Amino acid sequence: MARRQQEKSQETQQELLSAALELFQERGFFGTTIADITEKAGYAKGSFYRHWQGKDEITLQLIEAKLASCRAARTQALARARNLSEALDAIWDFLESIMKDKSWARLFLEFTIHASCDEKLKASLAQSAFRLSDPVFAELVAPWTRPGVSGDKLGALNTCLFEGFLIHGVLGTGTLDKKDIRDAAKRLILALAEA
Amino acid sequence: MARRQQEKSQETQQELLSAALELFQERGFFGTTIADITEKAGYAKGSFYRHWQGKDEITLQLIEAKLASCRAARTQALARARNLSEALDAIWDFLESIMKDKSWARLFLEFTIHASCDEKLKASLAQSAFRLSDPVFAELVAPWTRPGVSGDKLGALNTCLFEGFLIHGVLGTGTLDKKDIRDAAKRLILALAEA
DNA sequence: TCTCATCCTGACCAGTGGTCATAAAGCGAA
DNA sequence: TTCGCTTTATGACCACTGGTCAGGATGAGA
């Protein structure tokens, strides 16, 4: 059987993923080179390209894995929500869980901006579960919004506040905390949904 | 006199600035190399470093120049404002004038994220007139906010919406337009300022 | 033992930001 | 005009990046 060879390959991939994650958290997306990753994992640079096409691909994979683990909790909480306020809380619990770690916030932002310069990557990003896309948000809040209110727009505004807060966070002025932004988002969305 | 030499130097600097601006708008901050800039302007790469320490410095200069031209109008409009709503409109006129051009929005974002990885640059950015800093906003809206309301927080929230909208813009989903975000910001700030 | 597929290597490439000895040109004075 | 001196401009050079690829090592099956 060729199982052991495949297992070795998988193991290598995992080691590279772990190394990449650590380095991204430490030095950010732009600050990490592929040579850094392979060196940390104990492989030659060429090995990287057996598993991914480039830094973009491995980053996307890491981000998706991170989000997948946070999404389960969100789905459960949303199922329990009895009104729009509770639904928004579930959504913001999800958003907060993503960024509990500041280095994740930076990685998200760096990658988002980087992706915005590349059409293909932008498409992957929009399709992936990375961002809480507007239609998804619309679907989540649909049960509690009045007809005529665009759920997409509510979602986009919510995302603006969230991603703006990410920038606020990485710049480190510290004027706002988690609660401030959540309250503001809830206030805004509730006001608009009922208008 | 050495005037003609200085004039030539100034002229070179201007040519490089123009070339840099065009390229930044076209290809973004990360997509533009220093060799691109000097080549477009018709100089050798080394000439660039007579005028700036690196890409960061020339970018900061370009951004500050852009903002300086927009700030005059803002100051005038704010002086005429008779209530918080009008003041917010003046501020959003200013913000909109900055990124009327989509390529500016991307440049702002790219540079902001890039700066967030560098302590020195982050300080320059905070100090510069680049971002509508929280204290400045607080001062602008102070005449119309109730005591006990933190103008800094209002400013930070306003900035979150603005910068979140910049991301929304560069990702090009197009769910929101200028008016949506301005209305949302006004609604939020007015509600909080009067609470 | 002999193949052959898989996994891994590291020298190699073009291109990056940044440096610096050198060349060219402008300047004022003799 | 001619001679220094200063300012401006050059492009080869450096260490580094993302990415490639012929070839070496290792394991699987006959």
Side-chain angles (χ1 to χ4, degrees), chain A residues 1-2 4 32-34 45 49 54:
Chain A
M1 271 206 243
R4 284 208 45 203
T32 301
T33 73
I34 291 179
K45 202 167 61 166
Y49 294 91

Side-chain angles (χ1 to χ4, degrees), chain B residues 3 25 37-38 43 45 67 69 80 95 105 115 130 138 168:
Chain B
R3 198 189 300 166
Q25 309 243 31
I37 296 171
T38 51
Y43 293 92
K45 200 167 63 168
L67 290 207
S69 71
R80 283 197 302 272
L95 294 175
F130 175 14
H168 179 89

Side-chain angles (χ1 to χ4, degrees), chain B residues 153-167:
Chain B
K153 288 203 178 187
L154 295 184
L157 285 171
N158 194 71
T159 301
C160 283
L161 274 170
F162 173 64
E163 293 181 340
F165 181 62
L166 290 187
I167 296 181

Side-chain angles (χ1 to χ4, degrees), chain A residues 20-44:
Chain A
L21 184 55
E22 272 186 59
L23 288 168
F24 282 151
Q25 309 243 32
E26 207 175 295
R27 310 179 190 174
F29 177 75
F30 295 115
T32 301
T33 73
I34 291 179
D36 290 340
I37 296 171
T38 51
E39 192 189 350
K40 186 179 182 94
Y43 293 92

Side-chain angles (χ1 to χ4, degrees), chain A residues 25 37 45 62 65 71 88 97 117 120 133 144 160 175:
Chain A
Q25 309 243 32
I37 296 171
K45 202 167 61 166
L62 283 169
R71 236 187 343 255
L88 289 173
S97 70
C117 303
K120 270 183 129 176
S133 70
W144 298 287
C160 283
T175 308

